Amino acid sequence: MYKATEKLFEICDYGPVYPLSIFDYADKSSIREHRDAVEKEFADMDREKKSLGKLFSRIRRLLPGAEIPVVFTIISPYTQSIFVVDSAVYLGLNHYLGTDYPLYESFPDYVRRLKVRGRIPVDMAEAIIRTSYPFRPTSDYPQALSRMAYEGAVAEAVMQVADVNEQESLGYSDDDYSWLRDNEHDIWDIIVGKKMLFSSDTDIIRSLIGVGPTTNVISPSSPGRAGRYVGHRLVQSYLDANRSASLESLFSHEFYDNPSLLSLAGYNP
């Protein structure tokens, strides 16, 4: 616990660990305002312990190159709910207090709907996967296709290790997910027709996969991160056509940077 606290204080720039600094940390308004709600909501964490135990077991089996960290629960002063440092992962319980939690009222719907206990295994899986298998393109200017394929690989891995469906992995509401499914062909046509697929423009890539209410480069009506949805569809098509491919192989640049990826995947929405 001391080493974990020491690392947390280093990350948060709170200086060395000693009784007064721990008291100061606990007394910060960003920590104190959530304390009662966290203690009440998470008085019993048996559910999380069981679900995370199953999650880590699947990760060991399906992603042997991933490191399983030690989990420490905290009240996080940051907007990031989970972060991995060395062999430890810090789980900010104040980010999972339910959609009706009063201090979430100012958050947009697409953020607030994900702040529920059921998201903990999904978010934990994604944090471990991204840390263990970061995006490492061969080019200094990766194309949108490469990043979309990587994001699709992350979504697929989360589905398999967290035992959730595509909608849960990607974090969409029913309406947003239905819109993406109904418009998948049109989304692909826009990405290809506007020459975004092989673009290295960081603004375009950020718009396609970045968190937000919409994907404006597709349509004002499109839910956010539409490029990530299409990326996962591409990955599913690739796995259907290449059944011997392992889950771990999707995180190699030989996959997401492969110039023949489109033909290998045979994606045709």
Side-chain angles (χ1 to χ4, degrees):
M1 287 291 291
Y2 178 84
K3 289 182 178 179
T5 305
E6 192 174 46
K7 180 59 68 173
L8 176 64
F9 274 38
E10 180 184 328
I11 297 166
C12 299
D13 196 26
Y14 289 142
V17 177
Y18 55 92
L20 184 58
S21 65
I22 293 175
F23 176 83
D24 287 343
Y25 175 81
D27 199 47
K28 289 183 180 296
S29 60
S30 59
I31 303 295
R32 191 177 61 250
E33 65 185 358
H34 300 296
R35 189 182 301 137
D36 290 346
V38 167
E39 290 178 352
K40 180 179 179 181
E41 177 68 22
F42 293 98
D44 181 356
M45 290 194 66
D46 284 347
R47 185 198 327 171
E48 283 72 28
K49 291 177 182 177
K50 290 178 181 178
S51 62
L52 291 180
K54 292 178 181 178
L55 169 68
F56 295 157
S57 178
R58 294 189 195 99
I59 290 177
R60 290 188 183 96
R61 176 167 51 87
L62 297 171
L63 297 170
E67 182 176 359
I68 305 299
V70 179
V71 179
F72 295 93
T73 58
I74 64 171
I75 297 176
S76 173
Y78 295 116
T79 56
Q80 187 174 344
S81 57
I82 298 176
F83 49 94
V84 183
V85 183
D86 298 333
S87 59
V89 59
Y90 297 89
L91 169 60
L93 296 179
N94 53 306
H95 286 279
Y96 300 97
L97 294 172
T99 55
D100 295 329
Y101 182 50
L103 294 183
Y104 295 162
E105 286 180 354
S106 62
F107 297 164
D109 288 345
Y110 69 91
V111 172
R112 192 170 61 250
R113 69 168 177 260
L114 301 178
K115 290 188 168 292
V116 294
R117 289 182 71 163
R119 288 294 301 180
I120 289 177
V122 177
D123 291 349
M124 182 69 71
E126 184 166 344
I128 293 172
I129 290 164
R130 289 187 183 277
T131 303
S132 300
Y133 304 98
F135 181 57
R136 287 177 175 154
T138 54
S139 168
D140 291 336
Y141 303 98
Q143 297 175 338
L145 174 61
S146 294
R147 187 58 191 269
M148 288 165 58
Y150 170 80
E151 294 295 326
V154 171
E156 178 64 26
V158 169
M159 285 176 62
Q160 293 195 32
V161 302
D163 192 26
V164 294
N165 59 33
E166 182 182 54
Q167 180 180 350
E168 293 169 316
S169 174
L170 295 171
Y172 287 118
S173 66
D174 290 343
D175 288 343
D176 285 350
Y177 187 62
S178 293
W179 192 97
L180 290 166
R181 293 191 65 179
D182 293 343
N183 293 277
E184 182 180 349
H185 177 81
D186 293 337
I187 294 170
W188 182 250
D189 277 354
I190 291 170
I191 291 174
V192 173
K194 291 187 176 180
K195 297 181 171 55
M196 289 187 278
L197 195 61
F198 300 108
S199 172
S200 298
D201 187 318
T202 55
D203 289 336
I204 289 176
I205 296 173
R206 189 181 302 112
S207 181
L208 285 168
I209 65 169
V211 177
T214 63
T215 308
N216 284 326
V217 292
I218 300 297
S219 163
S221 303
S222 171
R225 312 186 83 177
R228 194 171 182 234
Y229 169 81
V230 172
H232 181 245
R233 289 300 192 177
L234 177 71
V235 166
Q236 283 193 321
S237 183
Y238 174 85
L239 291 175
D240 288 342
N242 301 271
R243 295 190 177 275
S244 62
S246 69
L247 183 62
E248 197 168 44
S249 70
L250 300 178
F251 294 102
S252 165
H253 60 76
E254 281 88 357
F255 167 70
Y256 53 72
D257 261 355
N258 192 328
S260 301
L261 177 57
L262 289 179
S263 60
L264 289 171
Y267 177 61
N268 185 27

